[in-house]
């Protein structure tokens, strides 16, 4: 049984990938220059003409795009096709500032769903599978993407959307879901709820999960795998590129293959914009090669990761990206120290705590303070009479060893931290409220 949706593309030799990318890039730059006034202006300002781009070796000549550009161009300024040729929009959650609205032609949707079909087949998905889609339906891209992929593979979809966990569990058990798709924090919540209802991991028919849309650690992966009795795979994407499926994990579970026949990935130094060599850690930048309606070139994702072209045992030749190690705009600077929430999560899970936590950062008398509220399991809770202060101290110490700064740890009662059905809110930075 083949684990590929499009084997000829997914395993093509690296020289062929470069050739395909070069040919598509030349055409795409022309398309963008002719149709997207906003980007034409940026190219003109930089003195670059479409004729200057003869292949991927010229990519670095093109200007970058950032989220700020998309906000400036909102809503129609980045459109590469007349509205009458567009069939769909999706949008980011827009917690800060204006939402980004992305447009799709029918061909854009087809390419997107093919990418998601590759992701589904890479985890062993077939037309025999029952795919429970517990990402939110609607403006968010999560559900539409994986459902489109499941349709292409011919699997049966349970379009549950996120939330209503009782009903999720009932459908999962009654209809024998075999692949679960949702955010990792929601997967952890479903796993916890199953346990509370007395189910054991072997009681469900699940074999795999495709989890993404937010950062999660290897420790959390192991927790979910154990709790649900499955293999948990990562999937990455962003609304601006299309949604989930820009990259996906294969059986090796050591990073996500980027669909390089549709996207060129670069790693840059986030401070200087300089392109870094393979293996360097930096900000991921994408160029869409096939997108018609929302054709972004050199889009800065803010996600920090490393690319690797090491041979993969799955046979795919597409470059792999590590899990994003945080976003350059997610990074907290506390007393001058760079802190990523994922570092704290790693410590919590290593020390035997739950992934239910919240970080509260504040500024008192011009001094940054960091508190980490961590939920105890019911077993830990009943065990700890008298010992909580010691446990808090020891956890604070473990975090200090990792970060170099001293947090205050509060161990809180089971179920006292609000659960997330979509992307989890891990950080409350009260300093921002003061700006
Ligand atoms: O989160 C698309 C998606 C849906 C991906 C379902 C995977 C599964 P946005 O809401 O636009 O799109 O958020 C994009 O989420 O720039 C990353 O910072 C973060 N992100 C997405 N996938 C992962 C992941 C969707 N696997 C932003 N690991 C991106 C870590 C992720 N962060």
């Amino acid at each position: 049984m083949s684990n590929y949706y499009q084997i000829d593309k997914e395993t093509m030799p690296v020289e062929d990938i470069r050739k395909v990318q070069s040919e598509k890039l030349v055409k795409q730059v022309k398309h963008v220059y002719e149709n997207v006034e906003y980007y034409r202006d940026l190219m003109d300002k930089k003195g670059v003409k479409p004729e200057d781009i003869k292949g991927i070796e010229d990519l670095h000549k093109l200007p970058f795009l950032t989220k700020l550009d998309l906000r400036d161009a909102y809503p129609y300024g980045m459109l590469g096709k007349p509205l009458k040729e567009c069939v769909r929009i999706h949008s980011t959650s827009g917690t800060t500032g204006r939402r980004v609205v992305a447009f799709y032609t029918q061909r854009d949707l087809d390419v997107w769903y093919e990418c998601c079909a590759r992701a589904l087949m890479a985890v062993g998905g077939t037309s025999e599978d029952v795919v429970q889609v517990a990402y939110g339906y609607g403006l968010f891209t999560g559900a539409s993407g994986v459902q489109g992929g499941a349709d292409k593979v011919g699997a049966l979809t349970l379009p549950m959307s996120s939330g209503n966990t009782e009903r999720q569990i009932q459908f999962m058990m009654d209809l024998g879901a075999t692949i679960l798709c949702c955010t990792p924090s929601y997967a952890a919540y479903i796993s916890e709820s199953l346990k509370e209802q007395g189910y054991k991991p072997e009681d469900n028919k699940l074999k795999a999960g495709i989890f993404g849309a937010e950062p999660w650690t290897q420790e959390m992966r192991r927790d979910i795998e154990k709790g649900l009795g499955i293999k948990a795979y990562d999937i990455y994407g962003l609304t601006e590129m299309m949604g989930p499926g820009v990259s996906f994990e294969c059986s090796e579970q050591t990073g996500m293959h980027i669909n390089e026949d549709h996207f060129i990935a670069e790693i840059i130094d986030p401070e200087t914009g300089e392109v870094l060599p393979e293996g360097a850690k930096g900000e991921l930048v994408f160029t869409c090669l096939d997108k018609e309606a929302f054709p972004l070139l050199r889009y800065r994702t803010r996600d920090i990761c490393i690319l690797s072209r090491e041979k993969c045992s799955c046979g795919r030749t597409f470059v792999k990206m590590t899990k994003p190690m945080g976003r350059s705009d997610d990074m907290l600077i506390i007393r001058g120290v760079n802190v990523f929430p994922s570092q704290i999560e790693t410590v919590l899970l290593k020390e035997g705590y739950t992934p239910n936590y919240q970080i509260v950062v504040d500024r008192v008398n011009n001094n940054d303070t960091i508190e980490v509220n961590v939920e105890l399991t019911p077993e830990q809770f009943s065990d700890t009479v008298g010992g909580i202060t010691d446990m808090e101290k020891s956890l604070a110490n473990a975090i200090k060893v990792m970060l170099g700064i001293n947090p205050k740890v509060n161990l809180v009662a089971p179920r006292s931290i609000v659960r997330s059905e979509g992307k989890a809110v891990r950080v409350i930075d009260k300093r921002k409220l003061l700006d």
Side-chain angles (χ1 to χ4, degrees):
M1 188 185 54
S2 161
N3 271 3
Y4 307 105
Y5 180 67
Q6 290 158 317
I7 189 165
D8 52 328
K9 297 193 171 130
E10 295 174 61
T11 61
M12 67 180 141
V14 176
E15 312 79 70
D16 292 4
I17 297 177
R18 299 229 158 89
K19 202 161 153 250
V20 168
Q21 288 185 329
S22 282
E23 283 167 10
K24 286 189 176 183
L25 180 68
V26 172
K27 280 198 198 132
Q28 184 73 328
V29 171
K30 197 161 171 283
H31 164 61
V32 172
Y33 193 82
E34 282 167 6
N35 295 291
V36 184
E37 195 186 324
Y38 190 96
Y39 200 76
R40 178 165 58 238
D41 286 347
L42 290 182
M43 281 177 65
D44 286 345
K45 260 191 220 138
K46 229 183 156 206
V48 195
K49 294 277 168 236
E51 310 76 82
D52 299 330
I53 309 299
K54 299 196 171 67
I56 48 171
E57 63 286 359
D58 296 321
L59 184 63
H60 67 98
K61 296 180 182 161
L62 292 169
F64 290 119
L65 279 174
T66 66
K67 205 162 203 151
L68 278 183
D69 291 307
L70 302 192
R71 288 190 180 141
D72 278 355
Y74 174 91
Y76 295 131
M78 284 291 172
L79 259 187
K81 283 279 175 184
L83 266 189
K84 67 174 193 306
E85 288 184 40
C86 298
V87 297
R88 178 87 65 79
I89 67 147
H90 280 284
S91 174
T92 54
S93 52
T95 41
T96 49
R98 256 185 199 164
R99 281 174 176 275
V100 170
V101 173
F103 296 82
Y104 304 71
T105 61
Q106 185 56 53
R107 182 164 172 268
D108 291 334
L109 288 183
D110 278 340
V111 169
W112 179 22
Y113 296 158
E114 277 173 15
C115 289
C116 288
R118 291 177 185 177
L120 204 67
M121 289 199 63
V123 311
T126 68
S127 56
E128 312 270 319
D129 277 298
V130 179
V131 179
Q132 180 154 356
V133 180
Y135 287 115
Y137 276 81
L139 286 171
F140 180 54
T141 54
S144 172
V146 289
Q147 149 133 35
D151 288 349
K152 293 232 177 248
V153 172
L156 174 67
T157 297
L158 312 183
M160 304 299 298
S161 203
S162 56
N164 202 336
T165 308
E166 294 260 306
R167 192 178 59 190
Q168 299 278 358
I169 289 178
Q170 189 194 341
F171 274 69
M172 176 185 286
M173 298 317 252
D174 292 354
L175 296 170
T178 55
I179 298 181
L180 175 64
C181 303
C182 59
T183 58
S185 50
Y186 195 40
Y189 181 29
I190 292 177
S191 162
E192 184 184 19
S193 307
L194 278 166
K195 191 170 167 205
E196 273 171 14
Q197 291 186 21
Y199 289 112
K200 295 201 195 62
E202 57 274 22
D203 294 336
N204 70 60
K205 288 224 171 72
L206 291 174
K207 62 179 187 189
I210 304 184
F211 306 130
E214 62 181 2
W216 52 312
T217 54
Q218 295 295 355
E219 290 77 11
M220 187 152 167
R221 182 197 317 248
R222 279 195 286 277
D223 252 31
I224 296 172
E225 289 191 329
K226 203 161 137 235
L228 292 174
I230 61 169
K231 283 253 174 223
Y233 298 91
D234 208 351
I235 186 167
Y236 168 89
L238 56 165
T239 315
E240 296 90 320
M241 289 298 110
M242 63 185 189
V246 173
S247 67
F248 59 92
E249 247 179 4
C250 62
S251 50
E252 218 183 59
Q253 290 182 302
T254 53
M256 296 173 274
H257 290 284
I258 296 173
N259 281 306
E260 286 192 287
D261 51 338
H262 301 303
F263 301 97
I264 303 177
E266 298 171 274
I267 293 287
I268 63 162
D269 177 329
E271 303 293 327
T272 64
E274 181 202 349
V275 179
L276 300 178
E278 194 197 305
K281 180 166 152 189
E283 180 180 342
L284 187 57
V285 173
F286 281 118
T287 294
C288 305
L289 294 172
D290 283 292
K291 292 269 296 290
E292 298 181 325
F294 205 61
L296 306 189
L297 304 178
R298 298 199 90 201
Y299 181 67
R300 292 184 58 162
T301 63
R302 297 274 158 208
D303 292 320
I304 304 292
C305 72
I306 298 172
L307 298 182
S308 155
R309 216 174 265 286
E310 250 170 56
K311 201 167 171 347
C312 185
S313 62
C314 78
R316 284 177 186 78
T317 45
F318 290 158
V319 75
K320 280 205 277 199
M321 59 181 271
T322 56
K323 271 177 183 299
M325 298 157 179
R327 291 172 59 83
S328 53
D329 51 0
D330 249 15
M331 188 180 76
L332 295 161
I333 302 183
I334 300 169
R335 290 174 227 147
V337 178
N338 298 350
V339 174
F340 286 103
S342 59
Q343 294 174 296
I344 295 180
E345 183 176 310
T346 300
V347 177
L348 297 186
L349 289 160
K350 241 187 220 147
E351 299 288 314
Y353 290 92
T354 66
N356 300 314
Y357 66 96
Q358 205 152 44
I359 302 164
V360 184
V361 185
D362 205 348
R363 184 161 292 161
V364 181
N365 300 331
N366 290 325
N367 239 330
D368 292 334
T369 60
I370 168 165
E371 287 192 27
V372 186
N373 299 322
V374 186
E375 210 179 271
L376 292 166
T377 60
E379 299 81 53
Q380 286 169 330
F381 194 58
S382 53
D383 263 12
T384 51
V385 202
I388 286 231
T389 323
D390 285 346
M391 286 168 71
E392 286 175 341
K393 270 197 198 136
S394 134
L395 183 54
N397 197 40
I399 295 175
K400 187 177 172 206
V401 170
M402 168 73 116
L403 302 180
I405 52 168
N406 223 340
K408 179 168 186 329
V409 168
N410 305 309
L411 294 175
V412 298
R415 293 253 156 211
S416 55
I417 291 179
V418 183
R419 296 292 186 273
S420 137
E421 292 162 353
K423 300 191 190 219
V425 180
R426 300 295 195 195
V427 179
I428 300 172
D429 193 342
K430 294 187 173 164
R431 298 173 303 180
K432 286 202 181 122
L433 307 176
L434 304 174
D435 285 347

